[in-house]
Amino acid sequence: MPLTHSCIHVYLAQSIPGALIMKSLLQTLIARSLGDTSKLLTALGIFFLAWGTISPISTLSWWLRDGDGLAQQRPELPEGSVTPGAGARCYLVFLAGVGNVADVDLDSGEDAFLNAMGTAVPGCVVVRGVFPYSAVSDNVGSQPFFRWLWQLSDRPGQEDNLARLMLKIRNLWRLALSADDRYGQAYNRGAAATILERMGETEAIPLNADSPIQLVLAGTSGGAQVALGAAPYLKQWLPVEITVLSFGGVFDGQEGFESVEQIYHFHGENDWIDNLGVVLFPSRWGWTVGSPYNRALRAGQYEAIASGPHDHDGDRGYFGQDPVEGSAIQDTTYLDLTLQQVQALPLWPNSTTDGAP
């Protein structure tokens, strides 16, 4: 029987009894270590190592049960989400950074970016609702182990508390899964299935298009890694040409480079986090000349663009809405700088120049 994306979602939601054990372990470690900083840090270090060890379980449980041999098979889509005739010719899919904990957890600047792109490029369908840090786009709050942390972090004024930090670390483990040779095949196929599903929910996909559909995967921070990891599957399933936009993205130099037409990597002067990918992944080191990243770099398929004085995130990030100090144009925001450069890329159909705020 064909595997549907909803089946994956239901199975994974029920597949991790160890999650309750890990939650109990964390609560016990913190309770016993309060008042002793060194013990607390040691306990948290042990917890995060254990957490990283079990993080692939949910993905592997699905893959071992239902996913083996299905990497090439396109997931079934609901009736109405595909069309054999005319349909959208361009999709812009947004994959958020590790600070986001839900598919609706976009900050105001990210929302403004997508709204402006929808106005400036009316020929391209804007797709929201992809949570890249779950193989089935399962929001953190719907997962029993993390629900209590989400509830703590979701309180007004608590955006930077310890619970939120732990959720970011949880998302970092998922980024690592996407880049891992052992688990990435399962994880990235699940992410690709989610992207496909959200595309169809937004506007029907023309599966038998005479010419390729333009698919633009825009990822910030770890979202760029998931976009690259999902690209090979989307290329197999759909008649598409894929472009990846990376905003301060952290990614390895293996996945996706041979499946995309072009990668544009925007990096800010004050964004040091995007350099972590160069440090952490040997496939992005200069001497690994045969890696997909270095081949794409030599071929001009990968282009790094200095975006301006952006931080990695926040009010001065790529989607920040603070005015840029010293800008020649009064009241130009950090988001404006990003929009100007993205809209100038030679890939948008029916673009206009009046979409920027």
Side-chain angles (χ1 to χ4, degrees), residues 73-85:
Q73 179 178 328
R74 185 177 66 230
E76 286 190 349
L77 290 168
E79 185 177 353
S81 63
V82 295
T83 175

Side-chain angles (χ1 to χ4, degrees), residues 90-94 109-128 216 218 245 247 266 319 335-345 347-357:
C90 174
Y91 292 84
L92 169 61
V93 183
F94 188 76
E110 292 168 337
D111 264 331
F113 169 77
L114 295 176
N115 291 336
M117 289 302 300
T119 300
V121 192
C124 203
V125 177
V126 174
V127 179
R128 293 173 166 85
V216 182
L245 307 182
F247 301 99
F266 296 90
F319 311 108
L335 170 60
D336 293 336
L337 293 180
T338 301
L339 282 168
Q340 291 164 11
Q341 294 174 81
V342 171
Q343 292 173 11
L345 295 175
L347 57 92
W348 305 111
N350 305 321
S351 62
T352 67
T353 59
D354 59 356

Side-chain angles (χ1 to χ4, degrees), residues 15 38 42 72 100 106 126 150 159 174 188 213-214 216 225-226 228 233 243 293 318:
S15 64
S38 62
T42 301
Q72 311 300 321
N100 298 67
L106 300 182
V126 174
W150 190 18
E159 292 80 4
R174 298 314 192 269
N188 292 328
I213 302 166
Q214 179 70 29
V216 182
Q225 168 60 42
V226 178
L228 286 165
Y233 302 98
T243 300
Y293 166 80
Y318 300 95

Side-chain angles (χ1 to χ4, degrees), residues 10-160:
V10 171
Y11 180 74
L12 287 179
Q14 300 173 347
S15 64
I16 320 177
L20 295 177
I21 298 174
M22 291 300 295
K23 175 181 176 180
S24 176
L25 173 62
L26 175 61
Q27 291 173 326
T28 301
L29 288 172
I30 293 177
R32 292 184 177 181
S33 303
L34 288 176
D36 188 330
T37 302
S38 62
K39 288 183 179 180
L40 176 59
L41 292 176
T42 301
L44 288 176
I46 294 172
F47 169 76
F48 287 128
L49 286 174
W51 190 354
T53 300
I54 70 165
S55 62
I57 290 177
S58 61
T59 300
L60 289 177
S61 63
W62 158 56
W63 189 254
L64 293 173
R65 178 179 182 266
D66 297 313
D68 190 22
L70 291 175
Q72 311 300 321
Q73 179 178 328
R74 185 177 66 230
E76 286 190 349
L77 290 168
E79 185 177 353
S81 63
V82 295
T83 175
R89 307 303 306 161
C90 174
Y91 292 84
L92 169 61
V93 183
F94 188 76
L95 292 86
V98 296
N100 298 67
V101 296
D103 56 11
V104 295
D105 187 33
L106 300 182
D107 64 33
S108 59
E110 292 168 337
D111 264 331
F113 169 77
L114 295 176
N115 291 336
M117 289 302 300
T119 300
V121 192
C124 203
V125 177
V126 174
V127 179
R128 293 173 166 85
V130 177
F131 180 56
Y133 306 106
S134 166
V136 292
S137 199
D138 193 11
N139 292 340
V140 172
S142 63
Q143 302 171 21
F145 176 46
F146 298 105
R147 185 177 297 124
W148 64 288
L149 285 174
W150 190 18
Q151 291 170 346
L152 287 175
S153 69
D154 201 38
R155 295 173 181 173
Q158 300 296 312
E159 292 80 4
D160 298 320

